[in-house]
Amino acid sequence: PRGDQCVTRNSLYTKTEQPGRFSYTSPRWGSKHNIHVVETNYEEYALVATQISKNTGSSTMVLLYSRTKELSPERLEMFTQFSREQGLTDDEILILPQTGEAGSTGR
């Protein structure tokens, strides 16, 4: 979301030789992204970790994708725990509230 609008972004990830790992270079910012699908059951969720490197430093991003509007408390705890293991603090771990219907402009 950006203000009161949702913005859609598309990025083309390139497969690496390691299963579940991809790379991406931002044409806009020049940052290099190393993406790792940490865990998934394909029916419910995917836990993805990204290491981002740019000339000003590096950062870590952890995302939990879901095929449903709600995930179990166990899945959310798994996300939180994994994020902490990657060096993120509780202030840096965000679980966004549900808004609107999936696929609508309000989500």
Side-chain angles (χ1 to χ4, degrees):
R2 193 171 286 164
D4 61 350
Q5 300 177 15
C6 286
V7 176
T8 300
R9 293 188 304 167
N10 292 315
S11 302
L12 180 61
Y13 291 1
T14 304
K15 284 184 182 181
T16 68
E17 298 204 7
Q18 295 178 313
R21 293 190 181 260
F22 304 85
S23 64
Y24 168 74
T25 300
S26 170
R28 182 173 183 183
W29 305 108
S31 55
K32 297 185 186 310
H33 302 236
N34 292 312
I35 300 104
H36 177 206
V37 178
V38 176
E39 185 175 325
T40 183
N41 69 4
Y42 298 99
E43 302 294 321
E44 181 186 3
Y45 73 96
L47 180 63
V48 178
T50 303
Q51 296 295 321
I52 304 165
S53 301
K54 46 189 169 182
N55 56 5
T56 58
S58 64
S59 60
T60 300
M61 178 171 56
V62 177
L63 299 167
L64 180 61
Y65 294 104
S66 174
R67 292 190 180 266
T68 61
K69 284 180 151 188
E70 291 185 33
L71 280 167
S72 68
E74 293 82 16
R75 292 282 180 245
L76 293 173
E77 179 56 32
M78 173 198 64
F79 165 73
T80 301
Q81 184 58 40
F82 180 78
S83 297
R84 288 176 183 144
E85 290 169 6
Q86 302 311 299
L88 298 172
T89 66
D90 287 346
D91 289 341
E92 296 169 321
I93 300 170
L94 303 174
I95 298 175
L96 299 176
Q98 292 181 20
T99 58
E101 293 296 318
S104 75
T105 57
R107 184 152 173 91

